[in-house]
Amino acid sequence: VNRTDVDGLIAEAEAQPFTGWDFSWLDDRLTETPTHWDYTALVAERARVSPDLLDMGTGGGEWLSSLPDRPPLCVATEGWPPNVSVAAARLRPLGAYVVQDEGAVDNSQQASTDPRGRLPFKIGGFHLVVNRHEAFNPAEVARILAPGGWFVTQQVGEERWHDVHRLLGLPQPAVVDPWRLSMAVRQVQAAGLLITRGAETVLIQSFADVAALVWYLRAIPWEVPGFTAQAHRDRLVELQAQIDRDGPLEVRQPRFWLEARKPG
Ligand SMILES: C[S@@+](CC[C@H](N)C(=O)[O-])C[C@H]1O[C@@H](n2cnc3c(N)ncnc32)[C@H](O)[C@@H]1O
């Protein structure tokens, strides 16, 4: 591949802003194999018959705004300050409230006594709490659920392998106790909820060019902390040559979901 092409791809990715939690610019430059469950449908099934819903860590409110059958009372939390106003601008016209919260420590790093991730809501205030790809404090989720209320979450899991690091020629991060379904089940049960359903899988993300990879890593800065395209330019040239020869770059990503209910 011609180096100028890669510089053009990098420049294209760097010129493209990322706001909220909106990946639509990537379009089919990043595809994912589907999970064998449908998180949105699973939430919609509960939302249809719930008087209220709390969406934890709503990003820019994109997913919640597209949820069919939203309950009469919808509230979303967001802990990352730049996204609070983005979410509010999208959700307020739909009648949903956005509340800034402090966010939780990554679940794999949480001690059972960790107070972070406090939710500014009363005991038993919600009948349905949902959370896609956001850390949560299980004791706080249990506290704000009404008796008989539901918690539905989908999470990005961890493994000991990190394909993006391998592609970039970086050392594998040390993962002591990976975040996965079994750990989530333990944490949620310890908070007093009853697990009703759940599953885990590994999906494949395919990056069609290095612009998609660069933009993705800028959008998700915790994936490869400190990533810059400039520092990895030589490797990006090699990766684009590999794509031109063999097709999209493939990255494995663990995902899981679980549903739990508060006794009562
Ligand atoms: C993985 S996103 C999930 C958003 C939403 N629940 C969804 O599924 O579409 C998790 C959170 O990370 C926040 N976030 C985005 N960029 C961030 C950054 N640079 N540092 C910390 N948090 C960030 C987002 O606002 C979002 O609430």
Side-chain angles (χ1 to χ4, degrees), residues 55-157:
D55 181 31
M56 297 177 65
T58 199
E62 295 84 359
W63 173 84
L64 182 56
S65 69
S66 68
L67 178 72
D69 300 321
R70 281 190 307 275
L73 175 64
C74 272
V75 181
T77 57
E78 176 53 40
W80 195 52
N83 271 349
V84 176
S85 55
V86 176
R90 180 172 281 108
L91 295 174
R92 286 298 291 128
L94 305 176
Y97 301 91
V98 176
V99 177
Q100 184 168 355
D101 71 347
E102 64 179 357
V105 175
D106 282 354
N107 284 75
S108 62
Q109 308 299 315
Q110 277 181 33
S112 57
T113 51
D114 210 318
R116 283 285 306 274
R118 283 165 285 226
L119 295 167
F121 305 109
K122 67 180 182 188
I123 297 173
F126 288 95
H127 295 81
L128 176 60
V129 175
V130 305
N131 173 319
R132 188 177 75 164
H133 303 175
E134 179 68 299
F136 61 92
N137 177 328
E140 276 293 276
V141 171
R143 185 183 64 77
I144 65 162
L145 273 177
W150 296 96
F151 176 51
V152 185
T153 185
Q154 177 173 283
Q155 295 283 319
V156 177

Side-chain angles (χ1 to χ4, degrees), residues 179-224:
W179 177 231
R180 53 166 67 129
L181 180 60
S182 55
M183 184 188 282
V185 164
R186 278 200 306 276
Q187 290 189 358
V188 168
Q189 281 176 335
L193 302 182
L194 307 170
I195 306 292
T196 47
R197 293 188 282 182
E200 73 191 319
T201 191
V202 176
L203 54 75
I204 308 290
Q205 297 179 313
S206 299
F207 293 89
D209 60 25
V210 295
L213 181 64
V214 167
W215 192 79
Y216 181 84
L217 292 177
R218 286 176 58 232
I220 308 186
W222 55 85
E223 180 89 25
V224 180

